[in-house]
Amino acid sequence: MLQSVGGKQELSKPSDHRFSKDVTIGFEGQPNIIVYKVTFQVPDSFPFTQAVFEPLTAYMPTSTVSEFFRYAPLSKAPCSWPEMCRLPDAPKGYSQRLPLILSSPDGEYAMGIYSPDVASATDARARQNFYNFFSSSAVVKWNVTAIRENPSAGEYSFTEYVVIGSKEQVRDGIDFLYSRFRQK
């Protein structure tokens, strides 16, 4: 992993930070949900005032994926299907707390991202967890970002859920995840 010191990247030596992931296809009977469990190990040897974790990122060509939405699970915010709060092209980026769905123009192919860490309004960490969305003429990118101020050494773990299928299947999958984690 690359480390940054005072805004400058330190390229002279490998980082002592470690990263691990566990990927599972299918979740609680939903075959189109992919579970990513990601852990970052921050060592004692390097003090930070802020850590910016990017547990999961996807890049997709705009030739295939050209419809971008933020989605309010189970209509809990002022978004309605089929609009699903359409996102404008965002060449400089767009950060927000609602799950993202990106799809082909016909809705036949789509991918969505749901993170309980971002969705949990009762978790103090949620104020610093969010989804990012960027687009250009050739590629669209989404990611989940988590910021920790004055992080101590140790493990920082995140679980993200990617839902694939048609736009409608992805919407249903995000609703399923939202319901599942709201029951806890």
Side-chain angles (χ1 to χ4, degrees):
M1 291 178 59
L2 188 64
Q3 57 191 22
S4 176
V5 181
K8 295 182 180 180
Q9 293 179 343
E10 178 68 45
L11 301 174
S12 62
K13 64 177 183 131
S15 172
D16 293 331
H17 297 75
R18 299 290 177 249
F19 168 81
S20 64
K21 66 181 173 182
D22 180 40
V23 179
T24 304
I25 298 174
F27 177 71
E28 295 188 3
Q30 305 295 313
N32 65 326
I33 296 176
I34 303 168
V35 183
Y36 285 83
K37 295 180 182 178
V38 180
T39 300
F40 297 88
Q41 178 70 43
V42 176
D44 297 334
S45 61
F46 203 84
F48 290 97
T49 57
Q50 185 182 71
V52 179
F53 299 103
E54 196 170 296
L56 192 58
T57 301
Y59 290 87
M60 294 171 278
T62 54
S63 60
T64 305
V65 177
S66 59
E67 300 282 316
F68 319 120
F69 305 92
R70 65 180 187 259
Y71 177 58
L74 302 173
S75 301
K76 297 296 182 190
C79 296
S80 62
W81 181 260
E83 261 58 50
M84 296 170 35
C85 293
R86 186 176 302 275
L87 290 172
D89 288 346
K92 293 184 179 179
Y94 183 81
S95 298
Q96 51 94 50
R97 298 200 192 288
L98 289 174
L100 299 174
I101 296 176
L102 287 71
S103 79
S104 59
D106 62 5
E108 189 174 341
Y109 303 100
M111 176 187 286
I113 177 66
Y114 180 83
S115 173
D117 286 327
V118 175
S120 175
T122 60
D123 185 340
R125 298 176 308 157
R127 290 187 299 260
Q128 296 183 350
N129 295 342
F130 49 89
Y131 303 100
N132 282 315
F133 164 74
F134 303 89
S135 68
S136 71
S137 60
V139 70
V140 62
K141 170 195 175 187
W142 62 252
N143 70 328
V144 177
T145 301
I147 299 172
R148 300 294 182 266
E149 301 295 334
N150 301 308
S152 56
E155 291 187 350
Y156 293 83
S157 296
F158 307 91
T159 302
E160 318 302 345
Y161 298 83
V162 175
V163 186
I164 57 173
S166 69
K167 189 164 54 172
E168 189 167 326
Q169 290 168 328
V170 170
R171 181 206 58 195
D172 292 347
I174 290 175
D175 281 345
F176 171 82
L177 291 166
Y178 181 84
S179 295
R180 166 67 173 78
F181 290 104
R182 287 297 185 205
Q183 292 174 2
K184 284 188 170 185

